[in-house]
Amino acid sequence: MEEDIDVTSHTEGLNGLSCECKPFEEITNGHSNHKPVMNGLIIGHNVKDHTNGSAPLRSLPISALKQNGLLQTLAAGEDQPNPTEENVELEKAREEWEALENVQPALTEDSNPTPLISFNEALQYFQTTDLGDLLKNIQPTIRRAGLAAITHFLFGPPRLHRELLEERDLVFAIAQCHVDNSQTVHMRVLQSIYKRLIGSRLDCPRYGAHWENIGFQGTDPATDLRGTGFLGLMHTLYFVMDPETLPLARDIYKLSQHPTQNFPFSVMSINMTRIALQVLREEALSKECNRRQQVVGVLNEFYVATYLHLYQLWKTQQKTIADSGFVLKEVELFAKKNPKQMLRRLEVFLKERQAVGIPRGTSSDPQAQQPSPSLGERGARAAAGSKGKEMHFTGVCDLPPDMEGEARLI
């Protein structure tokens, strides 16, 4: 004789809570049909019994499946839970979720992005800051003695005009400054370089692997400025903030990301600054500086011309990072012997680029779109600035002057 059986089973709920399930028994034609009841509701017939090893409830979240021992048993098709046979799909989903949790946003806490800074504004900061301690350690020219001094005097390049000596000394003083986190201008220079080069409007953290993405050797750009100091950043700033040279900077950066011809963009840029400083120290740029009545503008263009020469050589001759030492030596020798030709090549390159319709700049930022002053304007401003006001300098850091001329990939 069959009788109704009221069996109450307590199973662990999805969130660790007890869930009461009562089988509902119905006698039909002498057969017993059991329907599980959960929380007072009869679960539909399309949900299979767990004894047949079928799949668990599809509507449950993945996290619940993973945490519930009974459902793990259902997924594994066994009577007892076995944690060593975890579902492959669940593990894959867990790894993807953990990967998402580890992603760190590149945004700073400040919702307002740091405004870009122009090269002229950054230069004005150094012009109005006391760098007197650094001026005592600079070496603006090559020290020659004996026959070498006589030969240079008779057959060497002309000396720099007296009114340009202060501007030249400022350049070498900046080359001995390091990055100061407490200086707003320094931080704006770093942010401007990063954002203009990659085309971003968002600030980036002061330290991080993102600096390696634009060619620094580590998470802190300040550690790569050996031999050039803050001047290395100033030259990169000029390169990316001038609408006329920005497309070239991005072309070089694109080549630096090439699968086989890649090289560290920022480290190579610092080496171009080092070469330009050495050419200025050897007075090979004095004639051009005297003609234009400025030093900073000539040095900026010579830096870009040197990087252009390396870029064309690297690209056309299929150079790789293994060739960097030889390429740098070749570029440096050519730059020292042909400074006027280097500047002329840059001028022709930029004119041809403009003639074929390539835009001078791509940023919509009003400050970034301001073109650099023409050569005549630059000379007039430099002359007016040197005569109209005195320059005051301040010490920010010290770098050994003997490191400035090392011929190597830093």
Side-chain angles (χ1 to χ4, degrees):
M1 177 177 180
E2 295 184 6
E3 60 182 24
D4 294 337
I5 302 175
D6 185 10
V7 180
T8 302
S9 62
H10 295 273
T11 60
E12 184 181 354
L14 299 180
N15 297 321
L17 301 178
S18 176
C19 178
E20 183 180 67
C21 297
K22 295 182 179 181
F24 177 84
E25 185 177 87
E26 180 183 8
I27 305 298
T28 304
N29 297 328
H31 297 281
S32 176
N33 296 328
H34 294 273
K35 297 182 180 180
V37 179
M38 181 176 293
N39 295 332
L41 299 176
I42 300 177
I43 300 178
H45 65 277
N46 58 334
V47 180
K48 299 182 180 180
D49 192 297
H50 72 279
T51 58
N52 61 4
S54 61
L57 295 175
R58 296 181 180 178
S59 62
L60 297 179
I62 292 178
S63 59
L65 284 175
K66 184 178 178 182
Q67 296 174 2
N68 186 268
L70 177 60
L71 294 178
Q72 285 181 348
T73 303
L74 295 177
E78 298 180 1
D79 293 333
Q80 298 296 331
N82 188 353
T84 60
E85 299 181 3
E86 187 178 21
N87 187 282
V88 177
E89 293 298 325
L90 296 179
E91 179 64 20
K92 182 179 179 181
R94 181 185 66 81
E95 293 176 353
E96 292 177 351
W97 179 255
E98 290 179 351
L100 286 176
E101 292 181 337
N102 292 331
V103 174
Q104 298 294 330
L107 296 175
T108 58
E109 295 181 357
D110 188 3
S111 58
N112 297 323
T114 302
L116 299 179
I117 186 171
S118 66
F119 175 85
N120 289 336
E121 184 181 352
L123 179 63
Q124 186 178 11
Y125 161 79
F126 287 103
Q127 290 175 333
T128 56
T129 306
D130 184 13
L131 301 174
D133 292 340
L134 299 181
L135 290 171
K136 301 175 183 178
N137 301 320
I138 65 172
Q139 184 183 337
T141 58
I142 299 294
R143 295 171 184 155
R144 299 178 177 88
L147 183 60
I150 297 174
T151 303
H152 180 76
F153 178 78
L154 295 175
F155 306 105
R159 292 187 176 183
L160 192 67
H161 290 172
R162 186 183 302 272
E163 60 269 20
L164 298 178
L165 296 180
E166 190 176 20
E167 187 180 351
R168 178 203 63 186
D169 293 348
L170 172 65
V171 169
F172 285 98
I174 297 174
Q176 295 193 50
C177 295
H178 66 185
V179 177
D180 187 348
N181 292 342
S182 65
Q183 294 293 337
T184 303
V185 170
H186 288 205
M187 298 300 99
R188 288 179 63 193
V189 168
L190 283 172
Q191 292 288 345
S192 298
I193 290 173
Y194 181 83
K195 291 191 287 188
R196 287 284 281 176
L197 192 59
I198 69 171
S200 172
R201 292 183 176 273
L202 302 177
D203 284 357
C204 62
R206 170 64 178 85
Y207 305 97
H210 53 279
W211 294 114
E212 298 177 22
N213 295 337
I214 63 171
F216 287 101
Q217 294 184 106
T219 59
D220 182 8
T223 60
D224 289 337
L225 302 179
R226 299 182 299 271
T228 66
F230 205 84
L231 186 67
L233 295 179
M234 290 289 286
H235 276 166
T236 309
L237 179 69
Y238 170 82
F239 203 7
V240 299
M241 289 302 295
D242 191 325
E244 192 173 12
T245 59
L246 174 60
L248 173 60
R250 287 179 173 168
D251 285 347
I252 298 177
Y253 175 68
K254 182 179 179 180
L255 178 63
S256 74
Q257 305 296 307
H258 192 274
T260 58
Q261 290 190 267
N262 61 85
F263 58 87
F265 174 88
S266 296
V267 172
M268 196 67 78
S269 173
I270 293 170
N271 277 272
M272 299 303 100
T273 298
R274 177 189 58 78
I275 293 174
L277 269 178
Q278 189 62 22
V279 174
L280 178 64
R281 180 180 286 111
E282 294 183 6
E283 302 179 84
L285 292 176
S286 295
K287 184 176 181 180
E288 188 65 20
C289 291
N290 291 339
R291 186 180 72 85
R292 300 191 192 180
Q293 282 298 296
Q294 60 173 319
V295 176
V296 174
V298 172
L299 190 65
N300 285 344
E301 293 183 20
F302 188 77
Y303 152 81
V304 176
T306 306
Y307 215 161
L308 171 63
H309 181 67
L310 178 136
Y311 165 69
Q312 293 175 333
L313 189 153
W314 196 280
K315 185 175 183 179
T316 57
Q317 298 186 16
Q318 301 293 311
K319 299 296 184 181
T320 66
I321 192 63
D323 306 312
S324 59
F326 301 100
V327 174
L328 284 172
K329 287 183 179 180
E330 181 179 345
V331 171
E332 183 171 0
L333 288 175
F334 186 86
K336 289 179 178 180
K337 293 181 179 180
N338 307 279
K340 186 176 181 180
Q341 183 177 351
M342 295 274 287
L343 292 170
R344 176 60 181 167
R345 282 184 177 181
L346 174 63
E347 182 181 358
V348 172
F349 175 84
L350 295 178
K351 285 183 178 180
E352 290 178 350
R353 192 183 190 106
Q354 188 176 0
V356 296
I358 298 179
R360 298 179 62 187
T362 57
S363 174
S364 59
D365 182 77
Q367 182 185 22
Q369 286 291 346
Q370 294 177 357
S372 297
S374 62
L375 299 182
E377 292 174 345
R378 290 173 181 171
R381 292 181 184 179
S386 61
K387 294 178 182 179
K389 64 177 181 178
E390 295 183 359
M391 303 172 93
H392 303 281
F393 308 91
T394 192
V396 180
C397 71
D398 275 323
L399 286 178
D402 57 343
M403 295 182 64
E404 296 177 357
E406 295 183 7
R408 59 187 176 87
L409 180 62
I410 300 175

